Amino acid sequence: MLKTNNSASASKDDYPGRAYFIRHGESTSNERNIFAGVLDVDLTAFGRLQARRAGADIKKKGIKFDAVYVSHMRRARQTCEIALAESQAMKSPDIPVEIDHRISEKSLIFFKLTQK
């Protein structure tokens, strides 16, 4: 439930929690302009740099995580590991990073519909 107050804008304390989403860094498939989908590929050197930059941004903003969920895909896990190491953003070192298959990228087939 969102709290309301008389001010024109709500403060960050008005929300019970926040969710942050980070896309994985450049993968070897991205580098070759291949749609990876369910292909399990690594990050490139540039992708690892992007993950470090994401971690530095998290650290600069002072964000601390109660929980982290990541796709089982290698590129996502690598991005997560690098960004967390750079940011030191876990509220406790005992919090495990949860691998969740439900947030994996999907390979979809799209069909163009034509009018009769």
Side-chain angles (χ1 to χ4, degrees), residues 3-4 18 36-37 46 50 54-55 62 68-69 80 82 84 92 94 97-99 103-104:
K3 297 179 191 175
T4 59
R18 292 175 184 251
F46 182 62
Q50 289 173 316
V68 173
Y69 300 89
C80 179
I82 294 166
L84 285 177
S92 166
D94 299 330
V97 173
E98 299 287 336
I99 296 173
I103 55 175
S104 296

Side-chain angles (χ1 to χ4, degrees), residues 52-112:
R52 283 192 301 278
R53 287 178 177 169
D57 192 41
I58 292 166
K59 186 174 188 173
K60 179 180 174 186
K61 292 178 180 181
I63 298 167
K64 293 290 184 181
F65 299 115
D66 293 313
V68 173
Y69 300 89
V70 65
S71 162
H72 72 283
M73 303 302 278
R74 197 170 26 211
R75 59 191 176 265
R77 290 189 333 245
Q78 290 170 341
T79 301
C80 179
E81 182 180 309
I82 294 166
L84 285 177
E86 185 73 29
S87 67
Q88 302 172 353
M90 297 300 272
K91 283 189 176 176
S92 166
D94 299 330
I95 299 171
V97 173
E98 299 287 336
I99 296 173
D100 193 326
H101 293 266
R102 296 174 296 173
I103 55 175
S104 296
E105 200 165 337
K106 307 290 184 218
S107 289
L108 302 174
I109 299 173
F110 295 96
F111 296 95
K112 181 179 178 185

Side-chain angles (χ1 to χ4, degrees), residues 9-65:
S9 64
S11 73
K12 75 177 193 176
D13 294 333
D14 289 338
Y15 300 97
R18 292 175 184 251
Y20 295 88
F21 295 88
I22 299 174
R23 187 182 186 276
H24 62 78
E26 180 187 69
S27 71
T28 54
S29 290
N30 296 142
E31 183 180 53
R32 295 187 314 242
N33 204 24
I34 297 170
F35 175 73
V38 295
L39 295 175
D40 201 10
V41 295
D42 289 311
L43 293 177
T44 62
F46 182 62
R48 289 188 296 278
L49 173 63
Q50 289 173 316
R52 283 192 301 278
R53 287 178 177 169
D57 192 41
I58 292 166
K59 186 174 188 173
K60 179 180 174 186
K61 292 178 180 181
I63 298 167
K64 293 290 184 181
F65 299 115

